[in-house]
Coordinates of all heavy atoms in Angstrom, one line a residue:
M1 N 47.2 109.3 95.9 CA 47.8 110.2 95.0 C 46.7 111.2 94.5 O 45.6 110.7 94.1 CB 48.4 109.4 93.8 CG 49.1 110.2 92.8 SD 49.9 109.1 91.6 CE 51.5 109.7 91.8
D2 N 47.0 112.4 94.5 CA 46.0 113.4 94.1 C 46.3 113.9 92.7 O 47.5 114.1 92.3 CB 45.9 114.6 95.0 CG 45.4 114.1 96.4 OD1 44.7 113.1 96.4 OD2 45.8 114.7 97.4
G3 N 45.3 114.2 91.9 CA 45.5 114.8 90.6 C 44.5 115.9 90.3 O 43.4 115.9 90.9
V4 N 44.8 116.8 89.4 CA 43.9 117.8 89.1 C 43.3 117.5 87.8 O 44.0 117.3 86.8 CB 44.6 119.2 89.1 CG1 43.6 120.3 88.7 CG2 45.2 119.5 90.4
N5 N 41.9 117.5 87.7 CA 41.3 117.2 86.4 C 41.1 118.5 85.6 O 41.5 119.6 86.0 CB 40.0 116.4 86.6 CG 39.0 117.2 87.4 OD1 39.1 118.4 87.6 ND2 38.0 116.5 87.9
T6 N 40.4 118.4 84.5 CA 40.3 119.6 83.6 C 39.5 120.7 84.2 O 39.6 121.8 83.8 CB 39.7 119.1 82.2 OG1 38.4 118.5 82.5 CG2 40.6 118.2 81.5
E7 N 38.6 120.4 85.2 CA 37.8 121.4 85.8 C 38.5 122.1 86.9 O 38.0 123.0 87.5 CB 36.5 120.7 86.3 CG 35.7 120.1 85.2 CD 34.6 119.2 85.8 OE1 34.6 119.0 87.0 OE2 33.8 118.7 85.0
G8 N 39.7 121.7 87.2 CA 40.5 122.3 88.3 C 40.2 121.8 89.7 O 40.7 122.3 90.7
T9 N 39.4 120.7 89.8 CA 39.1 120.1 91.1 C 40.1 119.0 91.3 O 40.6 118.4 90.4 CB 37.7 119.6 91.2 OG1 37.4 118.7 90.1 CG2 36.7 120.7 91.0
V10 N 40.3 118.7 92.5 CA 41.3 117.6 92.9 C 40.5 116.4 93.0 O 39.5 116.3 93.7 CB 42.0 118.0 94.2 CG1 42.9 116.8 94.6 CG2 42.8 119.3 94.1
E11 N 41.0 115.3 92.4 CA 40.4 114.0 92.5 C 41.3 113.0 93.2 O 42.5 113.2 93.0 CB 39.9 113.5 91.1 CG 41.0 113.3 90.1 CD 40.5 112.9 88.8 OE1 39.5 113.4 88.3 OE2 41.2 112.1 88.2
R12 N 40.8 112.1 93.9 CA 41.6 111.2 94.7 C 41.7 109.9 93.9 O 40.7 109.3 93.5 CB 40.9 110.9 96.0 CG 41.7 110.1 97.0 CD 42.5 111.0 97.9 NE 43.1 110.1 98.9 CZ 44.4 110.0 99.1 NH1 45.2 110.7 98.4 NH2 44.9 109.3 100.0
R13 N 42.9 109.4 93.7 CA 43.1 108.1 93.1 C 43.9 107.2 94.0 O 44.8 107.7 94.7 CB 43.9 108.3 91.8 CG 43.1 109.0 90.7 CD 44.0 109.1 89.5 NE 44.8 110.3 89.8 CZ 45.6 110.9 88.9 NH1 45.8 110.4 87.7 NH2 46.3 111.9 89.2
E14 N 43.6 105.9 94.0 CA 44.4 105.0 94.8 C 45.7 104.7 94.1 O 45.7 104.6 92.9 CB 43.6 103.7 95.0 CG 42.7 103.8 96.1 CD 42.3 102.4 96.7 OE1 43.2 101.5 96.8 OE2 41.1 102.2 97.0
R15 N 46.7 104.4 94.9 CA 48.0 104.1 94.3 C 48.0 102.6 93.9 O 47.4 101.8 94.6 CB 49.1 104.3 95.3 CG 49.2 105.8 95.6 CD 50.3 106.0 96.6 NE 50.5 107.4 96.9 CZ 51.2 107.9 97.9 NH1 51.8 107.0 98.7 NH2 51.3 109.1 98.1
A16 N 48.7 102.3 92.9 CA 48.9 100.9 92.5 C 50.1 100.4 93.2 O 50.9 101.1 93.8 CB 49.2 100.9 91.0
I17 N 50.3 99.1 93.2 CA 51.4 98.4 93.8 C 52.7 98.8 93.0 O 52.7 98.6 91.8 CB 51.3 96.9 93.9 CG1 50.2 96.6 94.8 CG2 52.6 96.3 94.3 CD1 49.9 95.1 94.9
S18 N 53.6 99.4 93.6 CA 54.8 99.9 92.9 C 55.8 98.8 92.5 O 56.0 97.9 93.3 CB 55.6 100.9 93.8 OG 56.8 101.3 93.3
K19 N 56.3 98.9 91.4 CA 57.3 97.9 90.9 C 58.7 98.2 91.4 O 59.6 97.5 91.2 CB 57.3 97.8 89.4 CG 56.1 97.2 88.9 CD 56.2 96.9 87.4 CE 54.9 96.3 86.9 NZ 54.9 96.0 85.5
R20 N 58.9 99.4 92.2 CA 60.1 99.7 92.7 C 60.4 99.0 94.0 O 61.6 98.9 94.5 CB 60.2 101.2 93.0 CG 60.2 102.0 91.7 CD 60.2 103.5 92.0 NE 59.1 103.8 92.9 CZ 58.9 105.0 93.4 NH1 59.8 106.0 93.2 NH2 57.9 105.2 94.2
G21 N 59.4 98.5 94.7 CA 59.5 97.8 96.0 C 60.1 96.4 95.9 O 60.6 96.0 94.9
N22 N 59.9 95.7 96.9 CA 60.4 94.3 97.0 C 59.6 93.4 96.1 O 58.4 93.2 96.3 CB 60.3 93.9 98.5 CG 60.9 92.6 98.8 OD1 61.0 91.7 97.9 ND2 61.3 92.4 100.0
R23 N 60.2 92.8 95.2 CA 59.6 92.0 94.2 C 58.9 90.8 94.8 O 57.8 90.4 94.5 CB 60.6 91.6 93.1 CG 60.0 90.7 92.1 CD 61.1 90.3 91.1 NE 60.6 90.7 89.8 CZ 61.3 90.6 88.7 NH1 62.6 90.3 88.7 NH2 60.8 91.0 87.5
Q24 N 59.7 90.1 95.7 CA 59.1 88.9 96.4 C 57.9 89.2 97.2 O 56.9 88.5 97.2 CB 60.2 88.3 97.2 CG 59.8 87.0 97.8 CD 60.9 86.3 98.6 OE1 62.0 86.9 98.9 NE2 60.7 85.1 99.0
L25 N 58.0 90.3 98.0 CA 56.8 90.7 98.8 C 55.6 91.0 97.9 O 54.5 90.6 98.2 CB 57.2 91.9 99.6 CG 56.0 92.5 100.5 CD1 55.6 91.4 101.5 CD2 56.5 93.7 101.3
R26 N 55.8 91.7 96.8 CA 54.7 92.1 95.9 C 54.1 90.8 95.3 O 52.9 90.6 95.3 CB 55.3 93.0 94.8 CG 54.2 93.5 93.8 CD 54.8 94.5 92.9 NE 55.8 93.9 92.0 CZ 57.1 94.2 92.0 NH1 57.5 95.1 92.9 NH2 58.0 93.7 91.2
T27 N 55.0 89.8 95.0 CA 54.5 88.5 94.4 C 53.7 87.8 95.5 O 52.6 87.2 95.2 CB 55.7 87.7 94.0 OG1 56.4 88.4 93.0 CG2 55.2 86.4 93.4
L28 N 54.2 87.8 96.7 CA 53.4 87.1 97.8 C 52.1 87.7 98.0 O 51.1 87.0 98.3 CB 54.2 87.0 99.1 CG 55.5 86.1 99.1 CD1 56.3 86.3 100.3 CD2 55.0 84.7 98.9
L29 N 52.0 89.0 98.0 CA 50.7 89.7 98.2 C 49.7 89.4 97.1 O 48.5 89.1 97.4 CB 50.9 91.2 98.3 CG 51.5 91.7 99.6 CD1 52.0 93.2 99.4 CD2 50.6 91.6 100.7
I30 N 50.2 89.3 95.9 CA 49.3 89.0 94.7 C 48.9 87.6 94.8 O 47.7 87.2 94.5 CB 50.0 89.4 93.4 CG1 50.1 90.9 93.3 CG2 49.2 88.9 92.2 CD1 50.9 91.5 92.2
V31 N 49.8 86.7 95.1 CA 49.4 85.2 95.2 C 48.4 85.0 96.3 O 47.4 84.3 96.2 CB 50.7 84.4 95.5 CG1 50.3 83.0 95.9 CG2 51.6 84.4 94.2
G32 N 48.6 85.7 97.5 CA 47.6 85.6 98.6 C 46.3 86.1 98.2 O 45.2 85.6 98.5
A33 N 46.3 87.3 97.5 CA 45.0 87.8 97.0 C 44.3 86.9 96.0 O 43.1 86.8 96.0 CB 45.3 89.2 96.4
T34 N 45.1 86.3 95.1 CA 44.5 85.4 94.2 C 43.9 84.2 94.9 O 42.8 83.7 94.5 CB 45.6 84.9 93.2 OG1 46.2 86.0 92.6 CG2 45.0 84.0 92.1
S35 N 44.5 83.7 95.9 CA 44.0 82.5 96.7 C 42.6 82.9 97.4 O 41.7 82.1 97.4 CB 45.0 82.0 97.7 OG 45.2 82.9 98.7
I36 N 42.6 84.2 97.8 CA 41.3 84.6 98.4 C 40.2 84.7 97.4 O 39.1 84.3 97.6 CB 41.5 86.0 99.1 CG1 42.4 85.9 100.3 CG2 40.1 86.6 99.5 CD1 42.8 87.2 100.9
I37 N 40.6 85.1 96.2 CA 39.6 85.2 95.1 C 39.1 83.8 94.7 O 37.9 83.6 94.4 CB 40.2 86.0 93.9 CG1 40.3 87.4 94.3 CG2 39.3 85.8 92.7 CD1 41.1 88.3 93.3
K38 N 40.1 82.8 94.6 CA 39.7 81.5 94.3 C 38.7 80.9 95.4 O 37.8 80.2 95.0 CB 40.9 80.6 94.2 CG 41.7 80.8 92.9 CD 42.8 79.9 92.8 CE 43.6 80.1 91.5 NZ 44.8 79.2 91.4
L39 N 39.0 81.2 96.6 CA 38.1 80.7 97.7 C 36.7 81.4 97.6 O 35.7 80.8 97.9 CB 38.7 81.0 99.1 CG 39.9 80.1 99.4 CD1 40.5 80.6 100.7 CD2 39.5 78.6 99.5
A40 N 36.7 82.7 97.2 CA 35.5 83.4 97.0 C 34.6 82.7 95.9 O 33.4 82.7 96.0 CB 35.7 84.8 96.7
K41 N 35.3 82.3 94.9 CA 34.5 81.6 93.8 C 34.0 80.3 94.2 O 33.0 79.8 93.6 CB 35.5 81.4 92.6 CG 35.7 82.7 91.8 CD 36.5 82.4 90.6 CE 36.7 83.7 89.8 NZ 37.4 83.4 88.5
R42 N 34.6 79.7 95.3 CA 34.1 78.4 95.8 C 33.0 78.6 96.9 O 32.6 77.6 97.4 CB 35.3 77.6 96.3 CG 36.2 77.1 95.3 CD 37.3 76.3 95.9 NE 38.3 76.0 94.9 CZ 39.5 75.6 95.1 NH1 39.9 75.4 96.4 NH2 40.4 75.3 94.2
G43 N 32.7 79.8 97.2 CA 31.6 80.0 98.1 C 32.0 80.7 99.5 O 31.2 80.9 100.3
L44 N 33.3 81.0 99.6 CA 33.7 81.7 100.9 C 33.1 83.1 100.9 O 33.0 83.8 99.9 CB 35.2 81.8 100.9 CG 35.8 82.6 102.1 CD1 35.7 81.7 103.4 CD2 37.2 83.0 101.9
K45 N 32.6 83.5 102.1 CA 32.1 84.9 102.2 C 33.2 85.9 102.2 O 34.2 85.8 102.9 CB 31.3 85.0 103.5 CG 30.0 84.3 103.6 CD 29.3 84.6 104.8 CE 28.0 83.8 104.8 NZ 27.2 84.1 106.1
V46 N 33.1 86.8 101.2 CA 34.1 87.9 101.1 C 33.4 89.2 101.1 O 32.2 89.3 101.0 CB 35.0 87.7 99.8 CG1 35.8 86.5 99.9 CG2 34.1 87.7 98.6
L47 N 34.2 90.3 101.1 CA 33.6 91.6 101.1 C 32.8 91.9 99.8 O 33.2 91.3 98.8 CB 34.7 92.6 101.3 CG 35.5 92.6 102.6 CD1 36.6 93.6 102.6 CD2 34.6 92.9 103.8
L48 N 31.9 92.7 99.9 CA 31.0 93.0 98.8 C 31.8 93.6 97.6 O 31.5 93.3 96.5 CB 29.9 94.0 99.2 CG 28.9 94.5 98.1 CD1 28.2 93.3 97.6 CD2 28.0 95.5 98.6
W49 N 32.8 94.5 97.9 CA 33.5 95.1 96.8 C 34.3 94.1 96.0 O 34.5 94.3 94.8 CB 34.4 96.3 97.3 CG 35.7 95.8 97.9 CD1 35.9 95.7 99.3 CD2 36.9 95.6 97.3 NE1 37.2 95.3 99.5 CE2 37.8 95.2 98.3 CE3 37.3 95.6 96.0 CZ2 39.1 94.9 98.0 CZ3 38.6 95.2 95.7 CH2 39.5 94.9 96.7
I50 N 34.7 93.0 96.6 CA 35.4 91.9 95.9 C 34.5 91.3 94.9 O 34.8 91.0 93.7 CB 36.1 90.9 96.8 CG1 37.2 91.6 97.7 CG2 36.7 89.7 96.0 CD1 37.8 90.7 98.7
R51 N 33.3 91.0 95.4 CA 32.3 90.3 94.5 C 31.9 91.2 93.4 O 31.8 90.7 92.2 CB 31.1 89.9 95.4 CG 31.3 88.8 96.4 CD 30.1 88.2 97.0 NE 29.2 89.3 97.6 CZ 29.2 89.5 98.9 NH1 29.9 88.8 99.7 NH2 28.4 90.4 99.4
T52 N 31.7 92.5 93.6 CA 31.3 93.3 92.5 C 32.4 93.6 91.5 O 32.2 93.7 90.3 CB 30.8 94.7 93.1 OG1 31.8 95.3 93.9 CG2 29.5 94.5 93.8
M53 N 33.7 93.7 92.1 CA 34.8 93.8 91.2 C 35.0 92.6 90.3 O 35.3 92.7 89.1 CB 36.1 94.0 92.0 CG 36.2 95.4 92.6 SD 36.7 96.7 91.4 CE 38.4 96.2 91.1
L54 N 34.7 91.4 90.8 CA 34.9 90.2 90.0 C 33.8 90.1 88.9 O 34.1 89.5 87.9 CB 34.7 88.9 90.9 CG 35.9 88.6 91.8 CD1 35.6 87.5 92.8 CD2 37.1 88.2 90.9
Q55 N 32.7 90.8 89.1 CA 31.7 90.8 88.0 C 32.1 91.8 86.9 O 31.7 91.7 85.8 CB 30.3 91.3 88.6 CG 29.8 90.2 89.5 CD 28.5 90.7 90.3 OE1 28.2 91.9 90.2 NE2 27.9 89.8 91.0
R56 N 32.9 92.8 87.3 CA 33.2 93.9 86.3 C 34.6 93.8 85.7 O 34.9 94.3 84.6 CB 33.1 95.3 86.9 CG 31.6 95.6 87.4 CD 31.5 97.0 88.0 NE 32.2 97.0 89.3 CZ 32.9 98.0 89.8 NH1 33.0 99.1 89.1 NH2 33.4 97.9 91.0
R57 N 35.6 93.2 86.4 CA 37.0 93.2 86.0 C 37.6 91.8 85.9 O 37.1 90.9 86.5 CB 37.8 94.0 87.1 CG 37.3 95.4 87.2 CD 38.0 96.3 86.2 NE 37.7 97.7 86.5 CZ 37.0 98.5 85.7 NH1 36.6 98.1 84.6 NH2 36.8 99.8 86.1
P58 N 38.7 91.7 85.2 CA 39.4 90.4 85.1 C 39.9 90.0 86.5 O 40.2 90.9 87.3 CB 40.5 90.6 84.1 CG 40.1 91.8 83.3 CD 39.2 92.6 84.2
V59 N 40.1 88.7 86.7 CA 40.6 88.2 88.0 C 41.9 88.8 88.4 O 42.1 89.2 89.6 CB 40.6 86.7 87.9 CG1 41.2 86.1 89.2 CG2 39.3 86.1 87.7
K60 N 42.8 88.9 87.5 CA 44.2 89.4 87.9 C 44.1 90.9 88.3 O 44.9 91.3 89.2 CB 45.1 89.2 86.7 CG 45.5 87.8 86.5 CD 46.7 87.6 85.8 CE 47.0 86.1 85.7 NZ 48.3 85.8 85.3
V61 N 43.2 91.7 87.7 CA 43.1 93.1 88.1 C 42.5 93.2 89.5 O 43.0 94.0 90.3 CB 42.2 93.8 87.1 CG1 41.9 95.2 87.5 CG2 42.8 93.9 85.7
V62 N 41.6 92.3 89.8 CA 41.0 92.3 91.1 C 42.0 91.8 92.1 O 42.1 92.3 93.3 CB 39.7 91.4 91.2 CG1 39.1 91.3 92.6 CG2 38.7 91.9 90.2
A63 N 42.9 90.8 91.7 CA 43.9 90.3 92.6 C 44.9 91.4 93.0 O 45.3 91.5 94.1 CB 44.6 89.1 92.0
V64 N 45.3 92.2 92.0 CA 46.2 93.3 92.3 C 45.6 94.4 93.2 O 46.2 94.9 94.1 CB 46.8 93.9 91.0 CG1 47.6 95.2 91.2 CG2 47.6 92.9 90.2
A65 N 44.3 94.7 92.9 CA 43.6 95.6 93.8 C 43.5 95.1 95.2 O 43.7 95.9 96.2 CB 42.2 95.9 93.2
L66 N 43.2 93.9 95.4 CA 43.1 93.3 96.7 C 44.4 93.3 97.4 O 44.6 93.6 98.6 CB 42.5 91.9 96.6 CG 42.3 91.1 98.0 CD1 41.5 91.9 98.9 CD2 41.7 89.8 97.7
A67 N 45.5 92.9 96.6 CA 46.8 92.9 97.2 C 47.2 94.4 97.7 O 47.9 94.5 98.7 CB 47.9 92.4 96.2
N68 N 46.8 95.3 96.9 CA 47.1 96.7 97.3 C 46.3 97.1 98.6 O 46.9 97.7 99.5 CB 46.6 97.7 96.2 CG 47.0 99.1 96.4 OD1 48.0 99.4 97.1 ND2 46.2 100.0 95.9
K69 N 45.1 96.6 98.7 CA 44.3 96.9 99.9 C 44.9 96.1 101.1 O 44.9 96.6 102.3 CB 42.9 96.5 99.8 CG 42.1 97.5 99.0 CD 40.6 97.3 99.2 CE 39.8 98.4 98.5 NZ 39.7 99.5 99.4
I70 N 45.5 95.0 100.9 CA 46.1 94.2 102.0 C 47.4 94.9 102.4 O 47.7 95.0 103.6 CB 46.4 92.8 101.5 CG1 45.2 92.0 101.3 CG2 47.3 92.1 102.6 CD1 45.3 90.7 100.7
A71 N 48.2 95.4 101.4 CA 49.5 96.0 101.7 C 49.4 97.4 102.3 O 50.2 97.9 103.1 CB 50.3 96.1 100.4
A72 N 48.3 98.2 102.0 CA 48.2 99.6 102.4 C 48.3 99.8 103.9 O 49.1 100.6 104.4 CB 46.9 100.2 101.9
P73 N 47.5 99.1 104.8 CA 47.6 99.3 106.2 C 48.9 98.7 106.8 O 49.3 99.0 107.9 CB 46.4 98.7 106.8 CG 45.9 97.7 105.8 CD 46.4 98.2 104.5
S74 N 49.4 97.7 106.1 CA 50.6 97.0 106.6 C 51.9 97.7 106.4 O 52.9 97.5 107.1 CB 50.7 95.6 106.0 OG 49.5 94.9 106.1
G75 N 51.9 98.6 105.4 CA 53.2 99.3 105.0 C 53.8 100.1 106.2 O 55.0 99.9 106.5
P76 N 53.0 101.0 106.8 CA 53.6 101.7 107.9 C 54.1 100.8 109.1 O 55.1 101.1 109.7 CB 52.5 102.6 108.4 CG 51.6 102.7 107.2 CD 51.7 101.4 106.5
C77 N 53.4 99.7 109.3 CA 53.8 98.8 110.3 C 55.1 98.1 110.0 O 56.0 98.0 110.9 CB 52.7 97.8 110.5 SG 53.0 96.6 111.8
W78 N 55.3 97.7 108.8 CA 56.5 97.1 108.4 C 57.7 98.0 108.4 O 58.8 97.7 108.9 CB 56.4 96.5 107.0 CG 55.5 95.3 106.9 CD1 55.3 94.4 107.8 CD2 54.8 94.9 105.7 NE1 54.5 93.4 107.4 CE2 54.1 93.7 106.1 CE3 54.5 95.5 104.5 CZ2 53.3 93.0 105.2 CZ3 53.7 94.8 103.6 CH2 53.1 93.6 104.0
S79 N 57.5 99.3 108.0 CA 58.6 100.2 108.1 C 58.9 100.6 109.5 O 60.1 100.9 109.7 CB 58.2 101.5 107.2 OG 57.1 102.1 107.8
A80 N 58.0 100.6 110.4 CA 58.3 100.9 111.8 C 58.8 99.7 112.6 O 59.2 99.9 113.7 CB 57.0 101.5 112.5
G81 N 58.6 98.5 112.0 CA 59.1 97.3 112.7 C 58.1 96.8 113.8 O 58.5 96.0 114.6
G82 N 56.9 97.2 113.7 CA 55.9 96.7 114.7 C 55.2 95.5 114.3 O 55.5 94.8 113.3
I83 N 54.1 95.1 115.1 CA 53.3 94.0 114.8 C 51.9 94.5 114.4 O 51.3 95.3 115.1 CB 53.2 93.1 116.0 CG1 54.5 92.5 116.4 CG2 52.2 92.0 115.7 CD1 54.6 91.7 117.7
Y84 N 51.4 94.1 113.2 CA 50.2 94.6 112.7 C 49.0 94.0 113.4 O 49.0 92.8 113.6 CB 50.0 94.4 111.2 CG 48.7 94.8 110.6 CD1 48.4 96.1 110.5 CD2 47.8 93.8 110.3 CE1 47.1 96.5 110.0 CE2 46.5 94.2 109.8 CZ 46.2 95.5 109.6 OH 45.0 95.9 109.2
Q85 N 48.0 94.8 113.9 CA 46.8 94.2 114.5 C 45.6 94.8 113.7 O 45.5 96.0 113.6 CB 46.7 94.7 115.9 CG 47.8 94.0 116.8 CD 47.6 94.4 118.2 OE1 46.7 95.1 118.6 NE2 48.5 93.8 119.1
A86 N 44.8 93.9 113.1 CA 43.7 94.3 112.3 C 42.6 95.0 113.1 O 42.4 94.5 114.3 CB 43.1 93.1 111.5
P87 N 41.9 96.0 112.6 CA 40.8 96.5 113.3 C 39.7 95.5 113.6 O 39.6 94.6 112.8 CB 40.3 97.7 112.4 CG 41.4 97.9 111.4 CD 42.2 96.6 111.3
A88 N 38.9 95.7 114.6 CA 37.9 94.8 114.9 C 36.8 94.6 113.8 O 36.3 93.5 113.6 CB 37.2 95.2 116.2
A89 N 36.6 95.7 113.1 CA 35.6 95.6 112.0 C 36.0 94.7 110.9 O 35.2 94.0 110.3 CB 35.4 97.0 111.4
V90 N 37.3 94.6 110.6 CA 37.8 93.7 109.6 C 37.7 92.2 110.0 O 37.4 91.4 109.3 CB 39.3 94.0 109.2 CG1 39.9 93.0 108.3 CG2 39.4 95.4 108.7
L91 N 37.9 92.0 111.3 CA 37.9 90.6 111.8 C 36.5 90.0 111.8 O 36.3 88.8 111.8 CB 38.5 90.6 113.2 CG 40.0 91.0 113.4 CD1 40.4 91.0 114.8 CD2 40.8 90.0 112.6
K92 N 35.5 90.9 111.9 CA 34.1 90.4 112.0 C 33.6 89.9 110.6 O 32.7 89.2 110.5 CB 33.2 91.5 112.5 CG 33.3 91.7 114.0 CD 32.4 92.8 114.5 CE 32.6 93.0 115.9 NZ 31.6 94.0 116.5
T93 N 34.1 90.5 109.5 CA 33.6 90.1 108.2 C 34.1 88.8 107.7 O 34.9 88.2 108.0 CB 34.0 91.2 107.1 OG1 35.4 91.4 107.1 CG2 33.3 92.5 107.4

């Protein structure tokens, strides 16, 4: 989502998980993200941005952000009815 700030320049903002969508799917994404965060606290290797977000933000805010990142590439695949295949770079981390 793009917005114009007071200086007239366009700034890029990430979209939040919409409450208009499927409630059950949204809940499953957040529960899955929360479980990844719990595993990260137990020592699982996770991406750097998750670790830094956990230092700066509450757990539930990080869980919603992670759920949004999980859902973003999957959305077009679900709407097209295809099978999602993660990029090789994601599988290595």
Side-chain angles (χ1 to χ4, degrees):
M1 183 174 237
D2 295 332
V4 179
N5 61 16
T6 56
E7 299 166 354
T9 58
V10 177
E11 59 184 39
R12 184 93 171 123
R13 288 178 281 186
E14 274 203 42
R15 294 181 180 167
I17 293 179
S18 171
K19 291 188 178 179
R20 294 180 302 176
N22 186 333
R23 177 182 238 172
Q24 185 178 10
L25 179 60
R26 186 174 61 247
T27 302
L28 288 173
L29 286 167
I30 293 174
V31 168
T34 305
S35 68
I36 291 171
I37 291 170
K38 284 183 181 180
L39 289 172
K41 287 185 173 184
R42 292 181 186 164
L44 178 75
K45 289 185 179 181
V46 294
L47 297 174
L48 178 63
W49 77 266
I50 295 174
R51 290 192 304 260
T52 56
M53 285 283 287
L54 285 171
Q55 293 171 353
R56 296 182 289 145
R57 300 275 189 242
V59 173
K60 291 202 177 195
V61 172
V62 178
V64 172
L66 180 56
N68 187 29
K69 283 198 173 274
I70 293 169
S74 306
C77 182
W78 288 330
S79 64
I83 297 172
Y84 175 74
Q85 293 183 358
V90 173
L91 297 175
K92 288 183 180 180
T93 57

